[in-house]
Amino acid sequence: MTNGILPAAFAGFGTGLSLIVAIGAQNAFVLRQGARRQAVLAVVGICAASDAVLIALGVAGLGAVVTTWPLVLTALGLAGGGFLLCYGLLAARRALRRTGAQALTVRGAAVGSARTAVLTCLALTWLNPHVYLDTVLLLGSVASDRGSLRWVFGLGAVLASLVWFAGLGYGARFLGTVLARPGAWRVLDGLVAATMLATGGSLLLRTL
């Protein structure tokens, strides 16, 4: 069993990382907050802690419970899809209205409240039914194949989430030179808008 601990942990790390690295609504938001240097610790903490809780539930075998609550997943899909569409439209409006003179610099003022960032991050995390399917159901199913080492596998997945979100949130600040250029924030907001609208639309289409 001892010899299998590291392989199980690395497998969990790789599997967890493969599920979260794709550009999605949550990652786009973390990237934007990191670039703005606003509430980065809180946002990274919420994302990593939420993943840890959901992964633990999946490893504990609660994936079957998720599949028995189709109405709950449907409600989450509708609420999450609507929220993402609204957020995407706001990002699109920022991208279209912002000029070079109005562009926010990394250290610019009027970046919004930390409370808003926290609430938005919570909504992006917990209103997305894909989060439950990926972490609780998928990771939980893969972890169950590890038998007595399933919690080691889960720990590896939790570590992957922490490393990714911390790297994304705090690494974004190194984009300062790029984001100081006119139009850079317009491009970033355009990316955020496209991601949010695509994800929100996909959620609604799959739910309805």
Side-chain angles (χ1 to χ4, degrees), residues 168-191:
L168 187 64
Y170 287 100
R173 65 181 56 196
F174 295 108
L175 297 174
T177 303
V178 175
L179 295 175
R181 300 173 182 172
W185 280 98
R186 174 176 289 180
V187 173
L188 180 58
D189 277 328
L191 172 64

CSV table of all heavy atoms in Angstrom, one decimal, residues 168-191:
chain,number,residue,atom,x,y,z
A,168,LEU,N,-3.0,30.9,-11.1
A,168,LEU,CA,-3.8,31.7,-12.0
A,168,LEU,C,-4.1,33.1,-11.4
A,168,LEU,O,-3.9,34.1,-12.0
A,168,LEU,CB,-5.1,31.0,-12.3
A,168,LEU,CG,-6.0,31.7,-13.4
A,168,LEU,CD1,-5.3,31.6,-14.7
A,168,LEU,CD2,-7.4,30.9,-13.4
A,169,GLY,N,-4.5,33.1,-10.1
A,169,GLY,CA,-4.8,34.4,-9.5
A,169,GLY,C,-3.6,35.2,-9.2
A,169,GLY,O,-3.6,36.4,-9.6
A,170,TYR,N,-2.6,34.7,-8.7
A,170,TYR,CA,-1.4,35.5,-8.4
A,170,TYR,C,-0.4,35.6,-9.6
A,170,TYR,O,0.3,36.6,-9.6
A,170,TYR,CB,-0.6,34.9,-7.2
A,170,TYR,CG,-1.4,35.1,-5.9
A,170,TYR,CD1,-2.1,34.1,-5.3
A,170,TYR,CD2,-1.3,36.3,-5.2
A,170,TYR,CE1,-2.8,34.3,-4.1
A,170,TYR,CE2,-2.0,36.5,-4.0
A,170,TYR,CZ,-2.8,35.5,-3.5
A,170,TYR,OH,-3.5,35.7,-2.4
A,171,GLY,N,-0.5,34.7,-10.5
A,171,GLY,CA,0.3,34.8,-11.7
A,171,GLY,C,-0.2,35.9,-12.6
A,171,GLY,O,0.6,36.4,-13.4
A,172,ALA,N,-1.5,36.2,-12.6
A,172,ALA,CA,-2.0,37.2,-13.5
A,172,ALA,C,-1.4,38.6,-13.2
A,172,ALA,O,-1.4,39.4,-14.2
A,172,ALA,CB,-3.5,37.2,-13.3
A,173,ARG,N,-0.9,38.8,-12.1
A,173,ARG,CA,-0.3,40.2,-11.8
A,173,ARG,C,0.9,40.4,-12.6
A,173,ARG,O,1.3,41.6,-12.8
A,173,ARG,CB,0.0,40.3,-10.3
A,173,ARG,CG,1.1,39.4,-9.8
A,173,ARG,CD,1.3,39.6,-8.3
A,173,ARG,NE,0.1,39.4,-7.6
A,173,ARG,CZ,-0.1,39.8,-6.3
A,173,ARG,NH1,0.9,40.5,-5.7
A,173,ARG,NH2,-1.3,39.6,-5.7
A,174,PHE,N,1.5,39.4,-13.1
A,174,PHE,CA,2.7,39.6,-14.0
A,174,PHE,C,2.3,40.0,-15.4
A,174,PHE,O,3.2,40.3,-16.2
A,174,PHE,CB,3.5,38.3,-14.0
A,174,PHE,CG,4.1,37.9,-12.7
A,174,PHE,CD1,3.6,36.8,-12.0
A,174,PHE,CD2,5.1,38.6,-12.1
A,174,PHE,CE1,4.1,36.4,-10.8
A,174,PHE,CE2,5.7,38.2,-10.9
A,174,PHE,CZ,5.2,37.1,-10.2
A,175,LEU,N,1.0,40.2,-15.6
A,175,LEU,CA,0.6,40.7,-16.9
A,175,LEU,C,0.5,42.2,-16.9
A,175,LEU,O,-0.1,42.8,-17.8
A,175,LEU,CB,-0.8,40.1,-17.2
A,175,LEU,CG,-0.9,38.6,-17.5
A,175,LEU,CD1,-2.4,38.2,-17.6
A,175,LEU,CD2,-0.1,38.2,-18.7
A,176,GLY,N,1.1,42.8,-15.8
A,176,GLY,CA,1.0,44.2,-15.6
A,176,GLY,C,1.4,45.1,-16.8
A,176,GLY,O,0.7,46.0,-17.2
A,177,THR,N,2.5,44.7,-17.4
A,177,THR,CA,3.0,45.4,-18.6
A,177,THR,C,2.1,45.4,-19.8
A,177,THR,O,1.8,46.4,-20.4
A,177,THR,CB,4.4,44.9,-19.0
A,177,THR,OG1,5.3,45.0,-17.9
A,177,THR,CG2,5.0,45.7,-20.2
A,178,VAL,N,1.5,44.2,-20.0
A,178,VAL,CA,0.6,44.0,-21.1
A,178,VAL,C,-0.7,44.8,-20.8
A,178,VAL,O,-1.2,45.4,-21.7
A,178,VAL,CB,0.3,42.5,-21.3
A,178,VAL,CG1,-0.8,42.3,-22.3
A,178,VAL,CG2,1.6,41.7,-21.6
A,179,LEU,N,-1.2,44.7,-19.6
A,179,LEU,CA,-2.5,45.3,-19.2
A,179,LEU,C,-2.4,46.8,-19.1
A,179,LEU,O,-3.4,47.5,-19.0
A,179,LEU,CB,-3.0,44.7,-17.9
A,179,LEU,CG,-3.4,43.2,-18.0
A,179,LEU,CD1,-3.8,42.7,-16.7
A,179,LEU,CD2,-4.5,43.0,-19.1
A,180,ALA,N,-1.2,47.3,-19.1
A,180,ALA,CA,-1.0,48.8,-19.1
A,180,ALA,C,-1.2,49.4,-20.4
A,180,ALA,O,-1.4,50.6,-20.5
A,180,ALA,CB,0.4,49.2,-18.5
A,181,ARG,N,-1.2,48.6,-21.5
A,181,ARG,CA,-1.4,49.1,-22.8
A,181,ARG,C,-2.9,49.4,-23.1
A,181,ARG,O,-3.8,48.7,-22.6
A,181,ARG,CB,-0.9,48.1,-23.8
A,181,ARG,CG,0.5,47.7,-23.7
A,181,ARG,CD,0.9,46.6,-24.6
A,181,ARG,NE,2.3,46.2,-24.4
A,181,ARG,CZ,2.8,45.1,-25.0
A,181,ARG,NH1,2.1,44.4,-25.8
A,181,ARG,NH2,4.1,44.9,-24.8
A,182,PRO,N,-3.1,50.5,-23.9
A,182,PRO,CA,-4.5,50.8,-24.2
A,182,PRO,C,-5.2,49.6,-25.0
A,182,PRO,O,-4.6,49.0,-25.8
A,182,PRO,CB,-4.4,52.0,-25.2
A,182,PRO,CG,-3.0,52.6,-24.8
A,182,PRO,CD,-2.2,51.5,-24.4
A,183,GLY,N,-6.4,49.3,-24.6
A,183,GLY,CA,-7.1,48.3,-25.2
A,183,GLY,C,-6.9,46.9,-24.7
A,183,GLY,O,-7.6,46.0,-25.0
A,184,ALA,N,-5.9,46.7,-23.8
A,184,ALA,CA,-5.6,45.4,-23.2
A,184,ALA,C,-6.8,44.9,-22.3
A,184,ALA,O,-7.2,43.7,-22.4
A,184,ALA,CB,-4.4,45.4,-22.4
A,185,TRP,N,-7.4,45.8,-21.6
A,185,TRP,CA,-8.5,45.4,-20.7
A,185,TRP,C,-9.7,45.1,-21.6
A,185,TRP,O,-10.6,44.3,-21.2
A,185,TRP,CB,-8.8,46.5,-19.7
A,185,TRP,CG,-7.9,46.4,-18.5
A,185,TRP,CD1,-6.8,47.2,-18.3
A,185,TRP,CD2,-8.0,45.5,-17.4
A,185,TRP,NE1,-6.2,46.8,-17.1
A,185,TRP,CE2,-6.9,45.8,-16.5
A,185,TRP,CE3,-8.9,44.5,-17.1
A,185,TRP,CZ2,-6.7,45.1,-15.4
A,185,TRP,CZ3,-8.7,43.8,-15.9
A,185,TRP,CH2,-7.6,44.1,-15.0
A,186,ARG,N,-9.8,45.8,-22.7
A,186,ARG,CA,-10.9,45.5,-23.6
A,186,ARG,C,-10.9,44.1,-24.1
A,186,ARG,O,-11.9,43.4,-24.2
A,186,ARG,CB,-10.9,46.5,-24.8
A,186,ARG,CG,-12.0,46.2,-25.8
A,186,ARG,CD,-12.0,47.3,-26.9
A,186,ARG,NE,-12.6,48.5,-26.4
A,186,ARG,CZ,-12.7,49.6,-27.2
A,186,ARG,NH1,-12.3,49.6,-28.4
A,186,ARG,NH2,-13.2,50.7,-26.6
A,187,VAL,N,-9.6,43.7,-24.5
A,187,VAL,CA,-9.4,42.3,-24.9
A,187,VAL,C,-9.8,41.3,-23.8
A,187,VAL,O,-10.4,40.3,-24.0
A,187,VAL,CB,-8.0,42.1,-25.4
A,187,VAL,CG1,-7.7,40.6,-25.7
A,187,VAL,CG2,-7.7,43.0,-26.6
A,188,LEU,N,-9.3,41.6,-22.6
A,188,LEU,CA,-9.5,40.7,-21.5
A,188,LEU,C,-11.0,40.6,-21.1
A,188,LEU,O,-11.6,39.5,-20.9
A,188,LEU,CB,-8.8,41.2,-20.2
A,188,LEU,CG,-8.9,40.3,-19.0
A,188,LEU,CD1,-8.5,38.9,-19.2
A,188,LEU,CD2,-8.1,40.9,-17.8
A,189,ASP,N,-11.7,41.8,-21.1
A,189,ASP,CA,-13.1,41.8,-20.9
A,189,ASP,C,-13.9,41.0,-22.0
A,189,ASP,O,-14.9,40.4,-21.8
A,189,ASP,CB,-13.7,43.2,-20.7
A,189,ASP,CG,-13.5,43.7,-19.3
A,189,ASP,OD1,-13.5,42.9,-18.4
A,189,ASP,OD2,-13.3,44.9,-19.1
A,190,GLY,N,-13.4,41.2,-23.2
A,190,GLY,CA,-14.0,40.5,-24.4
A,190,GLY,C,-13.8,39.0,-24.2
A,190,GLY,O,-14.8,38.2,-24.5
A,191,LEU,N,-12.7,38.5,-23.7
A,191,LEU,CA,-12.5,37.1,-23.4
A,191,LEU,C,-13.4,36.6,-22.3
A,191,LEU,O,-14.0,35.5,-22.4
A,191,LEU,CB,-11.0,36.8,-23.0
A,191,LEU,CG,-10.7,35.4,-22.5
A,191,LEU,CD1,-10.9,34.4,-23.6
A,191,LEU,CD2,-9.2,35.4,-22.0
